[in-house]
Amino acid sequence: MKAKITLAKELKIGNIDRRIYGSFIEHLGRAVYGGIYEPSHPLADEDGFRTDVIELVKELNVPVVRYPGGNFVSGYNWEDGVGPVEKRPRRLDLAWGTTEPNTFGTNEFMKWCKKAGSDCMMAVNLGTRGPEEARNLVEYMNHKGGSAWSDLRRAHGYESPWNVKLWCLGNEMDGAWQMGAKTAVEYGRLAKETSKLMKWTDGSIETVLCGSSSRNSPTFGDWEAQSLEIAYDTVDYVSLHQYYENRSGDTASFLARTLEMEEFIYSVICICDYIKAKKRAKKTINLSFDEWNVWYHSDNAPYERWSLAPARLEDNYFFEDALLTGAMLITLLRHCDRIKIACLAQLVNVIAPIMTQNGGGTYKQTIFYPFEHLSNFGRGAALNPIIESPKYDCAEFTDVPFLESIATFDEENEELVIFAVNKSEDEPIELNLNLLDFEGYKPFEFISMDGFAKNAANNFEASPVKPHKNGVPKADSNEVNIHFEPFSWNVVRFRK
Ligand code: AHR
């Protein structure tokens, strides 16, 4: 089938905030223990961090990592995870039914972030705790010294403040599964006061209000409007969370989920701007899509209750999941004028692009690659391509374009990149690309993932699902014809 993309520099959506390529580490399953931290591993460094994992995180080039949860944070006492390790208590984590040894805590995570080249996006507990504990944590983390909490940090061996800039006001507080779940009004009041105290402690921080736990949440819409109406003046972002699944094996509908994701994003932007209008506010609230991924493969995997770091949520991703992951990233970039932060949930072992064996090796999941490509090459500004693509109907959607695509233009390095998914399971796309005002730009690299069964996956024994390089398409003045294989992920890079 034929498709056309027209691109021009003035079709700019916005500058890409690098934090849109963020991720997430929760005290859940083997994300921390056996994932990023395993002191007994032969490749562990002097801090117990797995250096093989750090190398893979660096390949993904993750600018910011959300921590320590997730559902976990809603029962977490941050004080349990600082100070001498031998004095730290073991606690029952009610979120995931496991025992938390607290041998890894906030300072260890900050050290790990430095080694991985990431910033921290810290969440505070607004489930079982409140403003007091949250502002104490800001003081512990960010105040230089001369106060009880900052001096405690120094006594713990960390002289300099960590200066964490980005803070989540709880997690999914609308969900019945959340410790200390709240109504929108209860949460709005709590978030407002907590954010106020945290910002009085350090005026340079930014805070994220919890939006709904997903678009499917029964209170979605009202939750955002009611809590924002109360907390608007003291917060900077509202969060979105969404996971997709393909339980029915309906791949066409699965890959079309980005249409739904787009509706979700539009709705949240509208709600933010509605409250802005009501308040005659100058400030605009932006979006933090701080949990997104495919999640369903590992459902019902057994584990031993109250054990330490059992395998939980260890989805083994299919090739089709990589295509949706790429399409979801494209969707995020299409809204980069309002989405400033996004976190692939999660990073290691738990619904993650990186998998590890305790005491053993690692492998890259299928979803590793689209993320790696976007995070490394999708820089500068996002451009909105004018796309003419054949469309399909499926069980759950109509008029789904087979071709999903975005372009990024990095003016500084004079690099233009097209990212594209061909959602057709059996037809290639013959793309005619018209680069209106990109005179002299020629393709120099063309990377694809294609030719795999939709349920092809990688594992510790073999990792067949990975990208390959194609021959570089020929450019004729400003026109380039590119062949996208059926059911494929594609990256085409251009330079002058
Ligand atoms: O990422 C796994 C879980 O999904 C998180 O703990 C929670 O916030 C969400 O429901």
Side-chain angles (χ1 to χ4, degrees), residues 98-115:
T98 54
T99 299
E100 170 55 51
N102 281 310
T103 48
F104 183 100
T106 304
N107 291 311
E108 287 81 21
F109 183 68
M110 295 309 299
K111 271 182 157 178
W112 180 85
C113 280
K114 290 254 173 285
K115 290 186 177 176

Side-chain angles (χ1 to χ4, degrees), residues 24 26 70-71 96 171-172 243 291 295 313 346 351:
F24 179 25
E26 177 167 2
N71 298 340
W96 299 105
N171 177 70
E172 296 188 350
Y243 297 96
E291 284 187 36
W295 173 12
L313 281 58
Q346 299 192 7
I351 41 173

Side-chain angles (χ1 to χ4, degrees), residues 24 26-28 66 68-73 95-96 171-172 177-178 213 241 243 290-293 295 313 344-346 350-351:
F24 179 25
E26 177 167 2
H27 281 249
L28 196 188
R66 187 166 171 251
N71 298 340
F72 171 82
V73 78
W96 299 105
N171 177 70
E172 296 188 350
W177 58 90
Q178 204 69 217
S213 47
H241 289 183
Y243 297 96
D290 46 44
E291 284 187 36
W292 67 269
N293 203 347
W295 173 12
L313 281 58
L344 172 68
Q346 299 192 7
V350 173
I351 41 173

